[in-house]
Every structure is written in structure tokens, then in C-alpha cells.
Amino acid sequence: MVESRDGIIGGAKPQPSPSIWLVEFQAILQGAVGGFLFGIPLLYTVEVWAIGAATGPRWLLTVLATTLLGVGLLTQVEGFRQSLRLHPVEALLESIEAVAIGVVCAALSLVLLRRITLATPLAEILGKVVFEAVPFALGVALARSTLHGKQGRNRRTTVPLARRLASPTLANLRDALIDFDAALIGAVLIAFSIAPTEEVPLLAASLPPLWLLLVMGASLGLSYAIVFASGFTDRAERRQRGLLFSPITETLVAYLVALLASMAMLVLFQQLNPSDPWSEWLSNVLVLGLPASIGGAAGRILI
Amino acid sequence: MTFAVASVILLGLVGLIFFDWQTNQNRPPAFAVAVSEAVRVTDGRYYVPFAITNTGGRIARMVQVTAELDIAGVDDETGEQQIDFLSGHETKAGSFVFSHDPQGGELTVRVASYRLP
């Protein structure tokens, strides 16, 4: 993606200085995206919930301090912001910010997956949030270096412009297919390590009725945010490729791809059998669909 | 066109969630245990197959199935089996193993307890 000096995101045509809040919001969103990518696998780990629930406050502070230190070291190298040169004070502020974004994302995810409910004791909430915030915060710090698509990436299959103009729809269709291919690869990469574990049925069992709708909404929203709202992708390049599908359609189809991939993985690992009731299939596939759709979105901006 | 198809599929899923909520999630778990007559004898032990079905709607965890064999003049034999997850309308099967012939006594198989997730 093209980065201009004055922090304009997007690059193709400089807009008349976007508001500072928008730039700030996008930077935070980019950080959050990195956090989710890095943090989701540990979010689906029963041991981390247990450790968090059984840890004393002193140790939690140690964990937080260690996280801050690790994030600080990463920030020295690569922050999640656009600026390249950092004053030490700025680096410290950015590290604190990264940990804060990690804590907020971890807390929201834990609430979404019902690991934190209104009935959870405060000590347990704190423990779970602090432990889950570790991978999230590291992911935030790494967001910029891991998630920016290579500048002027050369897709192996991208058609030369001349031919693209000659038969636009065919080239568009091919590009769209590559996108969904990338979504599939990303979904499998992230969700494959989660599919055979016990967390999927465990989480699915503990969701109250209609909570699955929230999980669906979060999957779609995160997928959309990663690809279209965070400014990671080069919009100009996407526009030039002439999107066959609108962003909304692409998000919906990519989510369906992620759900199909989740179902295939769960069947492969014998978590779902034909004899299981359909409601179990539905809840398990949707619960694994959350990390799969996040992975699918990452695949679409990276591959 | 693609948008329409994708939306219809996802709305179908949403509909299924609502349907599940209406039909299953409001009903607490209930259990039916079926003990099979086909007792298998191997190496002097008696294997009694059973199948447990959650006839309610909501999923139950840690369902504890106990079996008690009363034979006059012999010590009672007991067996216990725990099933991690049993969703609504799901059936899981297993066996109890006794060293006496269950035909010669009274066998009681029941669900002792379960946990809500």
C-alpha cells in the first residue's frame, strides 16, 4: 500500500486531508485487526481461561508489565502506526496504546464467547482478560509489519491490463476467484488448529439462544473491517482490478466460504457426525466460523 | 445475483437459529435411557448395551448414567458412565459391564445428574 508522508491512507488520489480522527480510528482499527489475528487461537484455548481464573493479582500485574515490555521491544522495530521514526516517549505511549487495544479486544471477544458474563466474579474477569490480552497486544504491535500487502504485489494470475480491458468480466471473475481462494487458505490456516479441539463444542454448548446471531454478526463485521475499513488493502489496486462484487457481497460470500471450510474441518476431525442433531452442526460451524472468517479476511489482504 | 444468493443462504442460517430457539432452547433437558436385551457374554463378563437420548431441547453436560444390579444373595454391582455433551435429540450409546448375569436379577439404569453448560 502506498504511504504518503502526511499520513493519508489510500494513496491513489490524495483526499483533502482526512480528519485527524479518521486517521486515528484507522490506525486503531489496524492494530485491532492484528490483535485478532494473533489472539484468536489462544482465545479458543480452555487452559488460558483456567489460568486466568486462578491467578493472583500480583502475578497479573507481572504479566501485564511483561506484555508491555514485549510490546515495547516490538514497537521499537515496527509499530502499528504509520509514522516511521519514533521518539522514545512516543514509543512508550504507542506501547501503552497497543496493550490497551489488546485488552479491549480481548475483553470484547471473551464477552462474545461467553467466557465473561454478568455472573463472572471480578477476579476471574481480570485474570481472563489479562492473559488473553497478551497475544492480542503482541498482535497489535505486529499489525503493521505483518498485514500490509506487499506493495505492488504481483499476483501470479493477474492479467495484463490490455487483456483486462479486452475482456473485463473474465479477468474480474478470475480476480474474484483468487480472492475466494485466498479466503479459503486464510480460513483453513487460522481455524485448522482450533477445529480438532474441545473448545468448539464447549463454546457452542454454552451460548444462550440467539447468541449465535451475535457471533455471525461479529464474524461478518470483523471480516469487513479487516478488508475494507482498516485501510490495509490498496483500494486503488482493488478499484483498478474492477471489483466484480461489491464489498458487502464479497464479505458475505467470503463468510460462506469460511463456514463451509469450518464444516469440512469439523467433519474431518470427527467433531461432527451425520448422527448429530442439526442444531449441533449449526452452532459448532458458526463458532468455528468466527476464527475462520477472520483468517479468510487476512488471507484476502495478504495473498 | 451473487449477493442475493449469499444473502438467502445466510438468512436461511438466521432462520435456523430462530427455529432452534423456538423448538429446542426453551425446553430443559430430559432423558430416556434404553437398555438393550442383547447382553453379550465375553470371558465370563456380561456386557449390557444402553443408549441414552436427550428428549428435551437444551444441551446437557456431564450427564451421569448409573446402573445398579440387584441379585439376591450377592453383593450389588454398580456401574457409572459420564457423557460430556448431549444436545437435544442426540443419542449416545455405551455398555455396562457386570460379572453376574443381569438376567438373574434386577437391573436399574437411570440418569443420576447432569450439568447445564
Side-chain angles (χ1 to χ4, degrees):
Chain A
M1 106 152 238
V2 187
E3 282 176 31
S4 36
R5 291 260 161 229
D6 46 356
I8 292 176
I9 296 172
K13 359 174 227 208
Q15 300 135 341
S17 75
S19 84
I20 188 159
W21 290 110
L22 186 72
V23 175
E24 184 64 26
F25 175 72
Q26 252 187 345
I28 290 174
L29 198 60
Q30 293 199 349
V33 166
F36 273 103
L37 267 180
F38 212 74
I40 274 273
L42 266 189
L43 188 68
Y44 277 68
T45 307
V46 75
E47 286 81 359
V48 183
W49 310 333
I51 297 168
T55 308
R58 220 175 289 169
W59 190 254
L60 289 182
L61 285 176
T62 314
V63 171
L64 261 185
T66 313
T67 309
L68 191 61
L69 188 71
V71 168
L73 289 174
L74 285 173
T75 308
Q76 289 293 334
V77 187
E78 276 280 24
F80 68 96
R81 291 199 174 290
Q82 303 295 334
S83 53
L84 288 175
R85 249 177 285 149
L86 278 179
H87 201 267
V89 176
E90 276 180 327
L92 177 69
L93 289 179
E94 195 175 305
S95 311
I96 292 173
E97 213 173 342
V99 174
I101 294 173
V103 166
V104 171
C105 290
L108 287 175
S109 325
L110 285 163
V111 170
L112 177 70
L113 294 179
R114 303 283 293 175
R115 297 303 96 198
I116 293 178
T117 60
L118 290 175
T120 316
L122 181 65
E124 197 176 314
I125 293 178
L126 288 174
K128 283 178 180 174
V129 168
V130 167
F131 271 96
E132 293 292 359
V134 177
F136 272 87
L138 292 176
V140 173
L142 286 169
R144 209 172 125 251
S145 51
T146 46
L147 283 178
H148 275 302
K150 291 182 218 64
Q151 289 200 12
R153 55 192 163 164
N154 300 317
R155 286 169 176 269
R156 267 186 311 171
T157 34
T158 299
V159 200
L161 194 63
R163 191 135 48 100
R164 188 179 301 181
L165 292 174
S167 62
T169 46
L170 195 69
N172 289 352
L173 185 65
R174 185 177 295 175
D175 271 338
L177 280 178
I178 294 169
D179 266 336
F180 295 129
D181 209 12
L184 183 65
I185 295 169
V188 170
L189 270 182
I190 296 281
F192 200 77
S193 56
I194 298 173
T197 59
E198 198 202 2
E199 284 77 12
V200 179
L202 213 145
L203 287 168
S206 64
L207 298 181
L210 298 194
W211 199 270
L212 283 171
L213 295 177
L214 213 59
V215 174
M216 269 176 99
S219 309
L220 285 166
L222 278 167
S223 166
Y224 182 86
I226 292 171
V227 180
F228 298 103
S230 63
F232 273 125
T233 29
D234 191 341
R235 286 230 190 83
E237 194 241 2
R238 276 189 164 258
R239 210 175 297 127
Q240 190 192 30
R241 275 170 43 201
L243 283 176
L244 181 67
F245 299 125
S246 71
I248 302 280
T249 308
E250 190 183 314
T251 304
L252 290 181
V253 177
Y255 184 46
L256 288 178
V257 170
L259 289 182
L260 282 174
S262 307
M263 190 158 75
M265 285 182 268
L266 288 169
V267 170
L268 182 73
F269 287 116
Q270 300 212 305
Q271 296 278 51
L272 289 176
N273 301 308
S275 61
D276 289 332
W278 62 267
S279 55
E280 193 176 326
W281 281 69
L282 182 72
S283 56
N284 278 268
V285 167
L286 286 176
V287 165
L288 186 60
L290 176 70
S293 65
I294 291 173
R300 277 179 291 150
I301 59 176
L302 291 178
I303 297 178
Chain B
M1 173 66 200
T2 316
F3 174 76
V5 173
S7 307
V8 165
I9 295 174
L10 285 177
L11 283 174
L13 283 178
V14 170
L16 278 179
I17 294 172
F18 273 99
F19 179 72
D20 185 41
W21 175 49
Q22 282 300 329
T23 52
N24 290 334
Q25 301 298 336
N26 296 329
R27 308 205 336 265
F31 304 100
V33 186
V35 181
S36 158
E37 293 294 317
V39 178
R40 174 167 64 90
V41 187
T42 310
D43 296 336
R45 294 198 174 275
Y46 297 85
Y47 294 76
V48 185
F50 74 96
I52 174 171
T53 306
N54 182 350
T55 54
R58 284 195 66 186
I59 190 168
R61 293 201 59 195
M62 307 289 175
V63 182
Q64 192 187 29
V65 188
T66 58
E68 203 170 312
L69 180 58
D70 271 340
I71 299 179
V74 197
D75 281 347
D76 288 356
E77 282 193 83
T78 56
E80 195 182 290
Q81 177 61 246
Q82 202 167 40
I83 290 157
D84 278 353
F85 292 97
L86 198 64
S87 353
H89 311 295
E90 185 176 18
T91 302
K92 283 190 173 154
S95 282
F96 288 112
V97 187
F98 298 107
S99 47
H100 297 91
D101 186 358
Q103 306 290 356
E106 197 177 334
L107 175 65
T108 330
V109 178
R110 65 185 187 95
V111 175
S113 67
Y114 71 91
R115 211 186 90 184
L116 281 175

